[in-house]
Amino acid sequence: MSQHRSPVILMYHGTPGSRPDTHYSIHANLFAKHMRFLKRQGWTTALFKDLQNAQALPEKTVVLTFDDGYADNYQGAFLPLLESGMKATWFIATDCIGGHAHWLGTASKQTQMLTKEQLTEMHSAGMEIASHTCSHPDLSTLSLAQQQNELSTAKSVLEKLLSTQVTSLAYPYGRFNDDSLIAAEQAGYRLACITQPGWLGSDPNPFLVRRIAIFSGDSVSSLSRKLTFTDNEVSWQKIARYYMNRARAKLTYNF
Ligand SMILES: [Zn+2]
């Protein structure tokens, strides 16, 4: 596995400056370490929408995505990225702008969402602000008409706010059905991502772009393995198994 499978898309959520409340968020300090590692290793960041023309991207390209739009991303991710000349894409649930992530239950500091002003500023600074529907529903439980409404309303809310075309989408909870793909295309999205692990080349369908999930306990070494193996589960046991099978396959091949 010496050559990189690229572009690779990473999925982050919150980046609090204190201990993360959920498995999905990572401490801002750890996020900063991830970014330093990517720079050191020669990775270039691109926006999710840049994947429409993936052939034009450098060999080691990573797309950083943030789901939901947590307010702690402003300090914990946006400002540090801006300072180091890196970029990222944010998937926003438009009903929650300036509010809180209602699907997580009781409101807390870590469920607070980015405001309109912050999103506008981030967009002006070269970040991509994209759609994560309006109300963050499980799309697979909705009718086609309801899905169309969620997808096209969120798109127009963001387009009005940012005065730009919005063409990227992330399905909430990574859940979707056949109608979601139809609704996404009809609403005018060009690319949509899911939460199944893999790299861009794993699926040719532009509405099924795979991502690698980053969790609160992912050290730099774990990030490094995730980039190499483009998988969410990168325990040493699993990797040892991978190399063992590979060695075995090689032996069989040679003899
Ligand atoms: Zn979400």
Side-chain angles (χ1 to χ4, degrees):
M1 292 287 285
S2 54
Q3 86 237 73
H4 286 281
R5 293 189 274 180
S6 156
V8 179
I9 302 108
L10 300 179
M11 174 178 66
Y12 288 91
H13 285 79
T15 49
S18 54
R19 195 161 164 255
D21 283 349
T22 76
H23 181 49
Y24 287 95
S25 291
I26 76 165
H27 197 291
N29 292 345
L30 181 54
F31 177 74
K33 283 185 191 166
H34 283 194
M35 295 307 108
R36 284 198 294 275
F37 168 81
L38 291 175
K39 272 220 140 167
R40 229 178 19 246
Q41 296 292 315
W43 288 87
T44 306
T45 52
L47 299 176
F48 186 74
K49 66 178 180 185
D50 297 336
L51 296 172
Q52 287 177 45
N53 191 15
Q55 316 84 280
L57 297 171
E59 199 181 320
K60 280 174 89 173
T61 293
V62 62
V63 173
L64 308 170
T65 67
F66 292 86
D67 278 19
D68 305 332
Y70 294 98
D72 55 32
N73 286 162
Y74 186 85
Q75 284 286 341
F78 165 62
L79 292 178
L81 286 171
L82 188 63
E83 206 167 297
S84 42
M86 299 167 90
K87 40 190 164 179
T89 295
W90 270 265
F91 292 108
I92 305 298
T94 56
D95 284 356
C96 306
I97 297 174
H100 97 106
H102 58 80
W103 63 93
L104 295 177
T106 325
S108 77
K109 194 158 188 275
Q110 292 192 18
T111 66
Q112 262 170 24
M113 300 310 236
L114 292 159
T115 63
K116 277 183 182 175
E117 293 72 25
Q118 288 171 324
L119 293 174
T120 313
E121 183 189 342
M122 290 158 71
H123 165 69
S124 307
M127 305 295 168
E128 180 183 15
I129 306 301
S131 165
H132 198 37
T133 73
C134 299
S135 69
H136 202 280
D138 173 349
L139 288 171
S140 69
T141 65
L142 303 185
S143 68
L144 174 61
Q146 287 169 320
Q147 295 196 48
Q148 283 167 327
N149 184 42
E150 279 280 348
L151 298 187
S152 56
T153 308
K155 189 172 187 291
S156 56
V157 166
L158 292 173
E159 289 181 341
K160 205 169 155 209
L161 176 69
L162 308 165
S163 309
T164 193
Q165 222 192 343
V166 171
T167 55
S168 304
L169 166 74
Y171 309 109
Y173 312 106
R175 295 188 58 82
F176 58 91
N177 58 18
D178 291 346
D179 283 349
S180 319
L181 310 193
I182 295 166
E185 191 163 13
Q186 280 176 350
Y189 292 100
R190 304 288 298 277
L191 285 176
C193 55
I194 58 178
T195 55
Q196 286 285 103
W199 59 298
L200 183 69
S202 305
D203 198 308
N205 190 327
F207 295 97
L208 294 174
V209 176
R210 294 176 184 226
R211 296 187 288 176
I212 308 296
I214 302 294
F215 303 116
S216 53
D218 278 328
S219 61
V220 165
S221 134
S222 164
L223 170 66
S224 164
R225 295 196 299 281
K226 286 188 168 188
L227 288 166
T228 305
F229 292 92
T230 55
D231 202 350
N232 287 344
E233 214 267 283
V234 287
S235 64
W236 288 115
Q237 289 92 323
K238 185 175 169 183
I239 286 165
R241 222 164 30 237
Y242 169 85
Y243 280 112
M244 208 111 85
N245 288 337
R246 201 159 163 254
R248 209 172 282 139
K250 212 169 181 183
L251 284 174
T252 320
Y253 189 74
N254 287 343
F255 296 100

Short mmCIF file of all heavy atoms in Angstrom, two decimals, residues 13 67-68 70 91 93 103 132 136 170-174, ligand 1:
data_model
loop_
_atom_site.label_atom_id
_atom_site.label_comp_id
_atom_site.label_asym_id
_atom_site.label_seq_id
_atom_site.Cartn_x
_atom_site.Cartn_y
_atom_site.Cartn_z
N HIS A 13 -16.85 16.51 12.58
CA HIS A 13 -18.06 17.17 13.10
C HIS A 13 -17.60 18.36 13.96
O HIS A 13 -16.97 19.25 13.43
CB HIS A 13 -18.93 16.17 13.87
CG HIS A 13 -19.69 15.23 12.98
ND1 HIS A 13 -19.13 14.13 12.41
CD2 HIS A 13 -20.98 15.24 12.56
CE1 HIS A 13 -20.03 13.48 11.66
NE2 HIS A 13 -21.17 14.15 11.75
N ASP A 67 -19.63 18.16 9.06
CA ASP A 67 -21.08 18.01 9.00
C ASP A 67 -21.76 18.84 10.08
O ASP A 67 -21.20 19.04 11.17
CB ASP A 67 -21.47 16.54 9.18
CG ASP A 67 -21.33 15.76 7.87
OD1 ASP A 67 -20.63 16.24 6.96
OD2 ASP A 67 -21.93 14.68 7.78
N ASP A 68 -22.94 19.30 9.77
CA ASP A 68 -23.89 19.96 10.69
C ASP A 68 -23.65 21.46 10.84
O ASP A 68 -24.58 22.24 10.81
CB ASP A 68 -23.92 19.30 12.09
CG ASP A 68 -24.21 17.80 11.99
OD1 ASP A 68 -24.87 17.39 11.03
OD2 ASP A 68 -23.75 17.06 12.87
N TYR A 70 -21.27 23.10 13.44
CA TYR A 70 -21.14 23.47 14.86
C TYR A 70 -20.39 24.78 15.04
O TYR A 70 -19.40 25.04 14.34
CB TYR A 70 -20.44 22.34 15.63
CG TYR A 70 -21.31 21.12 15.64
CD1 TYR A 70 -21.09 20.09 14.73
CD2 TYR A 70 -22.40 21.04 16.51
CE1 TYR A 70 -21.94 18.99 14.69
CE2 TYR A 70 -23.24 19.94 16.46
CZ TYR A 70 -23.01 18.93 15.56
OH TYR A 70 -23.87 17.86 15.51
N PHE A 91 -21.10 21.26 5.68
CA PHE A 91 -22.46 20.87 5.32
C PHE A 91 -23.41 21.35 6.42
O PHE A 91 -23.31 20.89 7.57
CB PHE A 91 -22.55 19.35 5.12
CG PHE A 91 -21.77 18.89 3.92
CD1 PHE A 91 -20.59 18.18 4.06
CD2 PHE A 91 -22.22 19.18 2.63
CE1 PHE A 91 -19.87 17.75 2.94
CE2 PHE A 91 -21.50 18.76 1.50
CZ PHE A 91 -20.32 18.05 1.67
N ALA A 93 -27.17 22.26 8.11
CA ALA A 93 -28.62 22.02 8.20
C ALA A 93 -29.25 23.41 8.37
O ALA A 93 -29.13 24.03 9.43
CB ALA A 93 -28.94 21.12 9.38
N TRP A 103 -31.49 17.59 16.85
CA TRP A 103 -31.56 16.12 16.84
C TRP A 103 -30.66 15.48 17.89
O TRP A 103 -30.72 14.29 18.13
CB TRP A 103 -31.23 15.58 15.45
CG TRP A 103 -29.83 15.88 14.99
CD1 TRP A 103 -28.74 15.09 15.15
CD2 TRP A 103 -29.38 17.06 14.33
NE1 TRP A 103 -27.64 15.71 14.62
CE2 TRP A 103 -28.00 16.92 14.11
CE3 TRP A 103 -30.01 18.25 13.90
CZ2 TRP A 103 -27.23 17.91 13.49
CZ3 TRP A 103 -29.25 19.22 13.29
CH2 TRP A 103 -27.88 19.04 13.09
N HIS A 132 -26.89 20.31 3.96
CA HIS A 132 -27.07 19.11 4.78
C HIS A 132 -28.56 19.01 5.09
O HIS A 132 -28.94 18.65 6.19
CB HIS A 132 -26.23 19.28 6.05
CG HIS A 132 -25.93 18.01 6.80
ND1 HIS A 132 -25.68 16.80 6.20
CD2 HIS A 132 -25.83 17.78 8.14
CE1 HIS A 132 -25.44 15.89 7.14
NE2 HIS A 132 -25.54 16.46 8.32
N HIS A 136 -32.36 18.22 8.95
CA HIS A 136 -31.53 17.08 9.31
C HIS A 136 -32.35 15.81 9.56
O HIS A 136 -32.19 15.13 10.57
CB HIS A 136 -30.68 17.42 10.55
CG HIS A 136 -29.45 16.57 10.71
ND1 HIS A 136 -29.49 15.31 11.25
CD2 HIS A 136 -28.15 16.78 10.40
CE1 HIS A 136 -28.27 14.80 11.27
NE2 HIS A 136 -27.43 15.68 10.75
N ALA A 170 -24.56 16.65 1.67
CA ALA A 170 -24.26 15.46 2.49
C ALA A 170 -25.58 14.99 3.09
O ALA A 170 -26.32 15.80 3.66
CB ALA A 170 -23.27 15.80 3.60
N TYR A 171 -25.90 13.70 2.94
CA TYR A 171 -27.14 13.16 3.49
C TYR A 171 -27.00 13.06 5.01
O TYR A 171 -26.04 12.45 5.49
CB TYR A 171 -27.42 11.76 2.93
CG TYR A 171 -27.36 11.67 1.42
CD1 TYR A 171 -26.32 11.01 0.77
CD2 TYR A 171 -28.36 12.26 0.63
CE1 TYR A 171 -26.27 10.93 -0.62
CE2 TYR A 171 -28.32 12.18 -0.75
CZ TYR A 171 -27.26 11.52 -1.38
OH TYR A 171 -27.20 11.44 -2.74
N PRO A 172 -27.97 13.61 5.78
CA PRO A 172 -27.89 13.49 7.24
C PRO A 172 -27.81 12.03 7.69
O PRO A 172 -28.50 11.18 7.12
CB PRO A 172 -29.19 14.14 7.72
CG PRO A 172 -29.57 15.08 6.62
CD PRO A 172 -29.11 14.42 5.35
N TYR A 173 -27.02 11.76 8.68
CA TYR A 173 -26.77 10.41 9.22
C TYR A 173 -26.21 9.47 8.14
O TYR A 173 -26.16 8.26 8.35
CB TYR A 173 -28.05 9.75 9.79
CG TYR A 173 -28.87 10.62 10.71
CD1 TYR A 173 -30.09 11.16 10.27
CD2 TYR A 173 -28.44 10.89 12.01
CE1 TYR A 173 -30.85 11.95 11.10
CE2 TYR A 173 -29.21 11.67 12.85
CZ TYR A 173 -30.42 12.20 12.39
OH TYR A 173 -31.18 12.98 13.22
N GLY A 174 -25.86 10.01 6.99
CA GLY A 174 -25.43 9.15 5.88
C GLY A 174 -26.54 8.25 5.39
O GLY A 174 -26.30 7.23 4.75
ZN ZN B 1 -25.40 15.62 10.27
#
